[in-house]
Amino acid sequence: MKKLKTTISAAVCAATVLSAVPFSADGADTVYGTMNIPYADFYAAEIDGAYDVDAVSSATTNKWNMNTTGSLGEDGTWTNGGLVAGTYNDGNGTILGVTYPVAVSADDVAFLTEKYGFTALDSAPKAYKEVTVSGEDITVSKLVDTDGASDVTGTAAVNSLTRWGDYQVNVTNYPTSCDIYGIVVNTQEGGKYALRHLQNIWRNGEIAWSVGITTTEPHGNTLDYTNYAASNGQTISSIQYITLDGYTNLTVEPNAYLPKKFAGTVTAENAAAGDGSTTFTTTDFPEDYAVSASVADGFTVSGGTISYTGAKPGSYTLSVSDGNGVYVPFSASFLLTTDDIPVAYNNGAISAAEGFTDEDAANYIKNITSVTVNGTTSNTFYRRVHEYEERNGITEPVTA
């Protein structure tokens, strides 16, 4: 009944058009082919019509049209398709949906060819969606998986500090050696969240979405979040993948909690290095957020005060988490500064200055973020800095 591991044929996986002549099953008027299916129609039956799934607009120049499908060679080697394999677009930066196998009535072929790019196949696909037409409207069924769904177990690591939304989830044991046409994330609370390519679906088992806190990603794309907002604080129980081979239902073990996000901030003040203290503040935090904070060895945190002994100059990170495990963690950087210059530059070489140790000099060097001499960049000094790094095993980069 279940597929433990399937091999997708090159013809099916690439959804190749093998013939322009419609294929009729058992003499009936069912015709199999491929069709451009808008996201809203593709997902409607999969998520029980919970909401309409929008197209995806991208500000990036090329990623949205990297839709070449992958293929399986005769030797069984899979060649990946484009970043958004299997999708179709408007030619102007918007991914509209996916091109997927369908079963339609012969009477509707002309309409679907004109409106949805229907192209006939010469044999029945392993998985497909049934499409019916009423006037100018179409209805698309759930996936018909003739070989039965594949049930697997995997893990889902949640990153709530990602730049690509409010949650990035790295999944293991997801389907490989095939293109992924759709993903539905299911939660213990009964939520069903349909994901789209580029904004939500990435390669290597990575998926991401916004719940309304982070609404723009690094490339400048606006993140849709209205239909995902309810996932804030829910727990992922399973993830359903749709490929040309059918469903893969991945049970997430252990279930993956999505810590509650909110628009709060943490700010830590700069201070002098050595022995001393500095302060940090939390803004717009929920009253039930049980603040647990830490910095590094030699630092103690009590209330809103960070105390330290013998701390060297440099950049430090304050980590704040919820002791109850309900809300997302935060972090804030702060500097401990000094007027001392523990390095000397003599005869074209850098060394520890008099009265300072090599450890002092190394710490100073690794915290350099820019090098200027008389108002301009000094390439010679910059090279000497890197020579010093190599001699002392400093691996953090220095920027000129």
Side-chain angles (χ1 to χ4, degrees), residues 156-159 167-171 205-209 236 239 256 258:
V158 177
N159 176 8
Y167 301 114
Q168 177 180 315
V169 182
N170 288 18
V171 184
E206 296 180 4
I207 55 179
W209 64 92
I236 300 174
I239 301 173
L258 301 170

Side-chain angles (χ1 to χ4, degrees), residues 35-39 41-42 88 96-102 129 140:
M35 186 180 110
N36 295 334
I37 309 176
Y39 278 125
D41 298 298
F42 183 82
Y88 72 100
L96 301 174
V98 299
T99 304
Y100 198 80
V102 294
K129 283 177 171 283
V140 181

Side-chain angles (χ1 to χ4, degrees), residues 230-368:
S231 69
N232 194 357
Q234 292 190 348
T235 300
I236 300 174
S237 56
S238 65
I239 301 173
Q240 185 175 69
Y241 293 84
I242 298 174
T243 73
L244 290 178
D245 202 30
Y247 287 125
T248 293
N249 296 322
L250 186 148
T251 299
V252 176
E253 291 186 2
N255 289 177
Y257 178 62
L258 301 170
K260 283 188 178 180
K261 299 209 75 170
F262 57 93
T265 57
V266 176
T267 305
E269 299 299 322
N270 299 334
D275 298 341
S277 65
T278 186
T279 59
F280 74 94
T281 56
T282 58
T283 305
D284 296 328
F285 268 45
E287 291 184 1
D288 57 344
Y289 194 113
V291 174
S292 176
S294 63
V295 179
D297 290 343
F299 289 76
T300 59
V301 182
S302 179
T305 300
I306 303 169
S307 302
Y308 47 89
T309 301
K312 294 185 178 299
S315 177
Y316 293 88
T317 299
L318 169 72
S319 298
V320 176
S321 61
D322 176 21
N324 295 324
V326 175
Y327 296 99
V328 292
F330 285 79
S331 64
S333 297
F334 63 97
L335 286 173
L336 296 185
T337 60
T338 180
D339 292 330
D340 295 332
I341 307 292
V343 297
Y345 181 62
N346 295 309
N347 300 319
I350 294 176
S351 61
E354 185 177 354
F356 293 92
T357 66
D358 286 338
E359 184 181 3
D360 294 329
N363 180 73
Y364 184 83
I365 289 292
K366 78 175 185 179
N367 282 288
I368 292 176

Side-chain angles (χ1 to χ4, degrees), residues 3 42-43 46 100 127 143 145 149-150 152-156 169-176 178-186 195 200-202 204-207 236 238-252:
K3 302 169 292 184
F42 183 82
Y43 277 121
E46 304 293 344
Y100 198 80
L143 191 68
D145 189 346
S150 175
V152 299
T153 299
T155 62
V169 182
N170 288 18
V171 184
T172 64
N173 208 25
Y174 62 94
T176 57
C178 62
D179 295 323
I180 293 175
Y181 286 76
I183 296 177
V184 177
V185 174
N186 302 295
L195 307 187
N200 309 123
I201 302 172
W202 202 252
N204 302 319
E206 296 180 4
I207 55 179
I236 300 174
S238 65
I239 301 173
Q240 185 175 69
Y241 293 84
I242 298 174
T243 73
L244 290 178
D245 202 30
Y247 287 125
T248 293
N249 296 322
L250 186 148
T251 299
V252 176

